[in-house]
Amino acid sequence: MASRLFSLAKSFLNPKFPNPRSFSTSFLITKTPKKHKPKRPKPDSPRTRSVTPDSNKIPHFESLLARDAKYRFLTKTKEFLSKQPEQILRLDDAGKLYRELGFPRGRKVTKFISRYPLLFTSYRHSDNKIWLGFTDFMDQLLLEERSIMEAMEEDRVTRIRKLLMMSKNKRIPLSKIYHKRLIFGIPEDFRDKMGKYPDYFRLVVEDDGKQILELVNWDPSLAVSALEKEFLVNEDKVKKAFKFPVKYGKDLGLEENDVKKLNLLNTLPLVSPYSDGWKLDSWSLEAEKYRVGIIHEFLSLTLEKRALIHHIVEFKEEFSLTRQTYEMLKRQPWTFYLAGTEMNWAVFLKDGYDENGNLIDKDPLLVINEKLYKFAQMQEEEEEEGEISGFREKLRGD
């Protein structure tokens, strides 16, 4: 009797709350937004081990690589789909093209398509098959991109000419330029346009069928590197950008200031990337200066003043690079920043960015990419808001 009276009294004192034993917590079981889930520690391996210690990392460079990974499906699917007949692809086929479209093997492509309803759409064709294509909004962005490409044709031609002028034999396989064209802003159909410039390029087909693009005429006005131009404007800045310490005997007894002066004498001038530096002894200091200059100029020709290591290694033979490229770049932290993992790292040209990590000279084509990222991010934020709103509604209902 006493326990029953106590239970009744408790219910009167707490009229808004049911008996704790009958209180349901099922409404609390909900899907946590991915953004707020704790990250599991990754196993230590070259695939996950960073090339730069955490204490030396520059956040805005690291964030650019993170953004690339996050929108990998978006950028690769846009590129692949835009090359297809009528810019459409059967969904069954899309599910098998995980490398080409940039999604993990074993995952459903529909999951990634659904993330970007403003950009991609799927529909059932008269053949009763579901096809993947672009939305009208995406079609407008592609038209804008094509217009920019046409307006920038002369600039892209100049970039290709400078690449050929830097190369060892003034010739590069056409396939290499095509595979890495995006980092230079070179259009998909550039191979068809080479015939418009007979004074600049010559296409040679070798016995094995390989197509080689050769330089026809040397232009002295183009044989000036970005670093050389900067040297004329700000000599002190360029002097501080590189360090090639000289090896000398301890018995010289040099003071600190004398050591600095000696090192400075061997820092500048750099060997021009448009010279015959490839003829130098590959282990000499001058040869290292030449290769550093080659990579600096290579990055200055890219749209974003950065490149993944495999983009650079692709031209290893043409630019006389060695297996010590990674160690060589690490010795120049004032000019280059290495980001990513030991298995897949990127190199940034630091003087191409301001202190906030923004490109100093932004190519018009990059504006299109920024629009894509912006709309993709807006959709993700809307989805997240929808998840939170749904969670709140469920709380109210329970």
Side-chain angles (χ1 to χ4, degrees):
M1 178 65 72
S3 61
R4 185 175 299 175
L5 289 173
F6 175 76
S7 178
L8 288 173
K10 190 173 181 180
S11 64
F12 281 117
L13 290 172
N14 300 280
K16 294 183 179 181
F17 296 94
N19 189 310
R21 294 182 179 180
S22 63
F23 185 72
S24 174
T25 59
S26 61
F27 73 94
L28 294 176
I29 302 174
T30 185
K31 184 179 179 182
T32 305
K34 187 176 180 180
K35 183 178 179 180
H36 302 296
K37 286 184 178 180
K39 294 183 179 180
R40 295 180 180 177
K42 297 180 179 179
D44 185 51
S45 70
R47 187 182 294 274
T48 60
R49 195 180 302 127
S50 177
V51 293
T52 300
D54 291 344
S55 58
N56 296 334
K57 284 185 177 181
I58 301 178
H60 51 250
F61 288 143
E62 297 289 342
S63 66
L64 287 175
L65 284 190
R67 185 195 65 181
D68 291 346
K70 182 178 182 179
Y71 295 120
R72 177 179 170 83
F73 175 80
L74 172 60
T75 54
K76 289 186 73 70
T77 300
K78 165 186 167 288
E79 173 65 18
F80 187 85
L81 202 57
S82 62
K83 295 186 294 185
Q84 302 307 304
E86 300 183 29
Q87 297 184 334
I88 56 175
L89 181 66
R90 205 167 68 172
L91 198 61
D92 290 343
D93 296 331
K96 303 171 186 176
L97 301 171
Y98 58 91
R99 287 194 183 93
E100 292 81 355
L101 302 185
F103 65 94
R105 184 177 184 178
R107 301 288 183 86
K108 291 185 177 181
V109 68
T110 51
K111 177 182 178 181
F112 294 88
I113 296 172
S114 64
R115 292 179 181 177
Y116 310 108
L118 273 178
L119 308 174
F120 302 118
T121 185
S122 58
Y123 62 94
R124 189 174 295 277
H125 197 263
S126 56
D127 60 1
N128 207 33
K129 297 289 184 179
I130 299 178
W131 291 72
L132 168 65
F134 292 129
T135 62
D136 292 340
F137 176 74
M138 185 65 154
D139 284 334
Q140 290 299 316
L141 286 179
L142 291 175
L143 286 174
E144 186 179 347
E145 181 181 69
R146 195 172 299 117
S147 176
I148 292 174
M149 284 284 198
E150 293 173 357
M152 300 297 292
E153 183 173 320
E154 185 177 346
D155 173 85
R156 299 332 190 220
V157 168
T158 298
R159 291 173 193 256
I160 297 174
R161 292 174 69 190
K162 288 175 77 70
L163 286 172
L164 289 170
M165 289 172 66
M166 282 198 298
S167 64
K168 180 178 178 180
N169 297 314
K170 311 302 176 276
R171 63 201 308 263
I172 299 176
L174 194 63
S175 60
K176 290 190 177 185
I177 299 176
Y178 176 78
H179 291 151
K180 306 306 174 189
R181 69 190 186 282
L182 294 180
I183 65 172
F184 302 107
I186 299 172
E188 162 74 21
D189 60 351
F190 86 97
R191 293 175 293 189
D192 302 328
K193 296 182 178 180
M194 292 297 98
K196 293 171 56 178
Y197 304 96
D199 294 335
Y200 300 155
F201 310 115
R202 176 172 50 247
L203 190 61
V204 178
V205 180
E206 297 188 334
D207 295 339
D208 59 359
K210 182 184 291 184
Q211 294 182 318
I212 307 294
L213 193 63
E214 294 184 346
L215 183 72
V216 173
N217 291 315
W218 180 271
D219 188 343
S221 67
L222 295 181
V224 182
S225 68
L227 200 60
E228 290 171 310
K229 293 178 181 178
E230 180 66 24
F231 185 79
L232 295 175
V233 177
N234 193 338
E235 182 177 339
D236 290 336
K237 179 182 177 182
V238 177
K239 284 181 178 179
K240 296 176 182 178
F242 301 94
K243 289 186 179 180
F244 298 91
V246 182
K247 295 181 180 180
Y248 55 87
K250 295 181 179 180
D251 55 337
L252 291 178
L254 297 176
E255 295 183 359
E256 185 178 353
N257 288 336
D258 294 328
V259 171
K260 289 182 179 179
K261 290 178 181 179
L262 185 59
N263 285 337
L264 183 60
L265 289 174
N266 285 273
T267 297
L268 293 170
L270 289 176
V271 181
S272 171
Y274 297 102
S275 68
D276 289 335
W278 57 272
K279 294 180 180 179
L280 296 167
D281 178 5
S282 60
W283 298 106
S284 68
L285 179 62
E286 294 300 303
E288 181 167 340
K289 290 182 180 181
Y290 169 71
R291 290 191 290 269
V292 166
I294 281 281
I295 293 181
H296 188 285
E297 186 70 355
F298 180 93
L299 294 174
S300 72
L301 292 175
T302 64
L303 296 187
E304 297 188 75
K305 306 300 180 280
R306 63 185 174 108
L308 291 170
I309 181 57
H310 67 78
H311 291 152
I312 299 174
V313 172
E314 182 82 13
F315 298 93
K316 177 182 176 181
E317 181 180 347
E318 288 75 20
F319 295 150
S320 303
L321 300 176
T322 69
R323 294 182 179 179
Q324 280 70 44
T325 298
Y326 173 70
E327 288 78 10
M328 181 183 72
L329 294 176
K330 283 187 70 175
R331 289 194 288 269
Q332 306 299 333
W334 301 272
T335 298
F336 305 115
Y337 178 78
L338 307 185
T341 64
E342 292 178 359
M343 184 172 287
N344 188 29
W345 52 276
V347 55
F348 289 77
L349 193 60
K350 294 172 76 172
D351 59 11
Y353 296 78
D354 64 20
E355 59 184 8
N356 297 317
N358 299 312
L359 280 167
I360 296 173
D361 296 317
K362 186 176 293 185
D363 189 274
L365 195 60
L366 295 179
V367 177
I368 299 296
N369 291 337
E370 289 181 351
K371 284 184 179 180
L372 282 177
Y373 298 145
K374 178 181 177 181
F375 288 118
Q377 186 177 2
M378 286 171 55
Q379 288 180 268
E380 289 174 351
E381 289 175 353
E382 288 177 3
E383 289 179 3
E384 188 170 317
E385 283 294 324
E387 288 182 1
I388 295 173
S389 177
F391 176 67
R392 288 172 177 166
E393 288 296 327
K394 191 169 185 179
L395 281 175
R396 292 191 189 101
D398 290 336

